Amino acid sequence: MEEFVSEFGELNSADVQWLQNLYRFTEENILPVAVGCEITCKELSSCLFQCLCRICHNHSNTCGYQGKDGLILPLSYRFISIEELRSQQKTPCCSQLTWSTSQFKQWTTHKGNLLISQKALSRTNLLLCGLLTDKTSIILSSSESQEQQNGGILYLQDKSGFIPCEIIKLDARWLGHLVMLPSWSYIPLTDAVWRLGGTEAGYIEVIEAPFLVFPKLLVGSLLVPNALNVLLPDSAIHLLDKGFYCHKVKMNIAGELGRLSSLISIRGKTFFSFFLNSFETDASLPVLVKVPAKLIWHRCLEVSKQYVITKVFITNLQGTSYKVFVVSLSSDFYIYVEGSVKKQTLAEFMSVLHMKQTSKSELTSLVCKEESLQNRSSIDWSTQNTIEEMFESRQSRICSYHGMISKVLNIAAGLYELDGKFGLCVAYQQVVNYGRGLRPGAQVKIHDAHVHQKASDHFPHIILCCCLRSTLVITEFSGLSTEFQPFSSSGNVYISLLFKYNLDLPNYLWVVHIIETFTQRFCPQFLTKQHILMCDIDSGIIGMFFNSVLKYTRWNKSVRNIHQEILAESHHCPLKEITQPSYPCQNISLSELLSLAEERAWQSLHLPSLLPHADIKYLLAQQLNSKLAWSFAVLKPEDFQPQMILHGVFQANSRTGHLQLLDTSGTLDCVVQNLNEVNQIAFSDTSYLDCLVQLRKYQLVIERFIHSEFPSFKQLDDLAFIKEKHTRIYVQFCAADLQVLKRRAASTRPKLLSPALSSTLSTSARTAARSSCNEACRNDELNSITSNQHQDSPSLPKMPRLKEVVLQEGHVGESRTVCSHPLWTGDEAVGIPGGRKQLPGTGTPPGHSTACTRQRKEGTCSVGCVTQLILVTHKDALMLRNCQYGRNEGCEHINGSEEAFIKRAKPRLRLAFQASAVNIGSPREWKDESKIEGLPELETDPSLCSEHNNRTEVLLDFMGKSVKWYHLINPGGVYRLIASKQLGVSVFEQRSSSTIPRKTLQSLNCPLFITFQSGWNLQYISTLSSLHQSQLSKNRINLSAYFENLASKITRLCTIQEVLSLTFSAPLVSFTGIILERICINPNRRTNFAAVITDKNAQGVSVPGDWGLKLTVGDVQNTAVALDIYVNFTMLSYTLGILPGTVVLFCSLERTTSRHSNVYCRYVSSSSVSILENPSPESVRSASADLPLMYLGNLISSRGTRLQGIVCCHVVNACWLKLQWVCSLCCSIIKQGKCTRGSGPCLSAVGIFRANASAIVEDGTAEARVYCKDKQVADLLALGSVKWERLQQHIEPQGEVYFQYQGRTGHELHEENTGDVLMQYLGVLCTSPIVCRPIQLAFRFDSRSKPKLGQNETFQLRTFSCGDHQYMTKMTPALSLTCLDIKEVDYRKLCHLANDKLTQ
């Protein structure tokens, strides 16, 4: 070292230290790789210094000069090894030894301000030196991938290692030589970027050409040697004919480089091809390069340059009919210079090589072909077109383009943006070097790219697509500090789907958009990006989705022929044809779905369609607005174009108790039904919780709530009368249509195995418990769905008040609410970033240690537990309850809403419910919670079959976060309670309660009370009836009897016919029915009920909360038998899915009899409702099916029941008529357009015509009094619309007319007795044959008065007078019917009834 430094004379200490560092660097890093050079470290150090001086001299830099002040050294620069650069430099940087500051600024500044937000590369003073190699001559370790060994990748090497480098213009003679880089950039692969397997940590961008350390060792020239015999394409093209064979005969060819394909790697073999075009004709020679040492040519060859390729031979591609020229190991390329080579004709080439295998006739034929080919005109396959020309042609064209990469749209999909306006797609060609250098700010040149226009609405309008014939070359590296995002087709789900279905560009961009949307919706809160994009396309999440969606599509699934795509004279590739896209489905976020559904629901709303057409003119303001208050719309997947597929994480909301689909944008409530269940109960399967699911069949329900003040139907077009409108959106579906794409992590959930019901059921449960993705994907997954439940959650949109609360869970104004109950706090939304870190329902139960809690969250350990098997026999309503005795845990509000609640509401009202159950067996301890399976409580407990076995009843209390189990707990279901092992089995044997007074427990005769804590788990096993029918019940003696005893604890279901019977005495009833009608009513309830508003800005927003609910429920087998149910939502949680046509199970309704002996039910705190079957077109039709045809005599024995039917009868007479004009607001009489209310002025001048009538009808079996109103009166009087309108006009001046039929006296219609012409007209009309005629009457049977002779007597004595004689006979009590509809009698039905009477 001293000898090396002494050569420079007298130096200061800084110069000496710099030279010593140079010597050390050379000795440690450069000398070991200087293979083949017998040189000392001193000599090599001197060569490095001289190379540095040459770099500076060539750029007029003073470094290295011997000036007056001595030697000028670049003291601010230092040499750095590759390992040191990669380990220490974590951000992109650059080093320009010879650049001035102005040159650097000019380089980092781009025109158009497209990348104005990007920072320039940080400039460092570092010097790089090493061996330039492609690794082909180096023996690599077995850990190196095949692609790294022979992929044509360029490396810079020193003793510390290799680093990939990209050079814009490479001289092949530089390979294997020591070089120094004067200007370069280092781009590391940061941790924030998704790192592909096999990708190096960073790479070098060589901005300027490197300098050789030993320039004299550079041998050879790119100029072609003199007197070299070459074949031009016009002659050599004939050697590719099928009848010509010259295997392994080497030759030289020359031509202009017309096309250069990309590097392609298939089954570990990398190759590329190029075409040499003729100078005069359109002949083109395909040349294949597959020798690893020659793959570096891909970086050296330039399109439109003229080359000579030596020592190539002809071969057939295996499995194809194509013959190509192949580069050999001894081949080389030179720049073609006119006159420097000897052009051979085909005849000369054949004669020189003495080709005996070719006959004279064949040779003559080839020569003729050569001459004819030379006379053809030249056509350039790659026409240089501008993008504007592509617009004008509107056809798929081939063009070349030079521009700048302005943005990376989707690196995994191979999509970039060019110049801020065009797109670039490289997915159809392989990018073997991971796309190094393709960073924003880089200048690129694209040859032979396909131009597509309007391929997708989600990507640029015009997209340039590179196929295997295209060439993408970087002409200038980016000077911006933009990160490197590697692109690789290996293990890439985008590329895998592209090749699997051979997608064209529009469909491929649709696939990209779907995956992008999927990733944005579930990453990183629920799934990692690696987990989605690296999964296998057959069993992974994305693969399962597309396999189910594309199974029935007509997409072209033919295999892509790359040889034909590259070598065929007529170009064939997926990008050539422009086809109309056929998207099979769409997948948007839940928030977008809610917005779209709400918009379509309001757009499709036609207010008159919500009102009965026959009664619309007769509705008072209160009736009109009541009927407009609620409506609903249903959207199915096919209602969207293309059809909508739903995805989400299936969860139970711990604030509202609703089941939900969840993504990062919001939540969508769910109503789930079971299908084909034996002794069907509501959906109860807890194994779907926290699973990523897909729905293709569903019903999206939009409930619309309107608060309006319409005075009459005439103002329905004036939307100013609508004061508020809200929506409640949810989805309802069958559990069988729920496809699981990803189950929650097995380490955080018990194995939900079927309890030995049958081998088939057990096998299916075990299969369902397995993860959908392969083991490799699970190893790569960083955060499972369960662990991501602890992500941050943002605040939610504003919520309406609970104020009398049909809409307590509805949406406010034009914005939807994600959550429904006032106890929901905005910063605790499930799974949405920005709020609390812990989601509802995932808290840790008391007693768990901090370490154990951390381990459970991370899923790294399995915690023991205690369990208790129970049979649920009853559950109460989910409602606000007094929790003043309750625990603080799970009931506190953190976000300040607690203070608002205390000020405005009763203290400690919380959403809660209770359930009654029976313990099955004894509690058990488990060492590993994840290994819970089977039913050992039934299989091994001998006390179950004992006669002395006491079935202990238990009361379960759910409050706070535990309310999420409400819709999963149903009577008749067998469940397993799972608690922490540290609590012990005694936790299931509590005989006192902190939330319920002791007297209350004693009155319930319930010895055990369990408060279900928020950290506990609940596992659904099966229904009791399924257990009873299982093999387990048959194997054990007396176990069947045990199940029968348990079944006796479950509430018995009645029929609606039994409930309507007057002899029925049970105060609480349970039954199954179908919703026939849903009406909003206005019950007497207190006003200004206190509630929590999570958003203070929403305090001034009210909801139409003055409405109650009246449900008309029909028997499932006979909808003519119906029952009314009244629901008051003051304290109840709003129930979803109560729609016409829905089959529901009502439990513990309060049965009540009115003063008119009509039976109805009320929904009370002990009641519950479960959805058994969602409405379908069939169920809606059955709900509105034709009423049964019957006789009036059949109703005599059915007194007390609410029957509906049709009877063909004769009108005896009209008893009375009441026709009046009333005020639409106060119902007072309107006279001459003014309200006559006497209790104060009425501002309304809108009158509504009302008509009421009573008539006597008989059908030969009995007589009945029928009550008609409004339009039914006109039908009864047989008045057409014109006559009915004129009658209303005659009554309007009087305001009211009352006519009563006095009987047939023979002189009641004389004019002198009644001076009113209108009354005379009504008297004549009511007794005329026009009214007294046969009619077809649809009715509802109601008992208006109680029988006077006792409930059990059917007949009563009545006395009739006829002249001087009196007659006494037994008569049935008068039947009272409410008219539903009047039609003219169908005489075919009348004849049928007559025949029926005769046969009787």
Side-chain angles (χ1 to χ4, degrees), residues 34 99 132 147 236 258 261 265 361 586 820 844 1254 1262 1306-1307 1390:
W99 284 16
L132 197 63
E147 185 179 274
S261 75
S265 179
S361 60
Q586 58 178 316
S820 44
T844 305
S1254 174
H1307 53 78
L1390 198 60

Side-chain angles (χ1 to χ4, degrees), residues 51 171 199 313 341 404 504 549 553 657 1161 1170:
C51 181
D171 189 337
T199 309
F313 60 91
V341 297
M404 180 188 68
D504 57 8
V549 169
T553 60
C1161 292
S1170 300

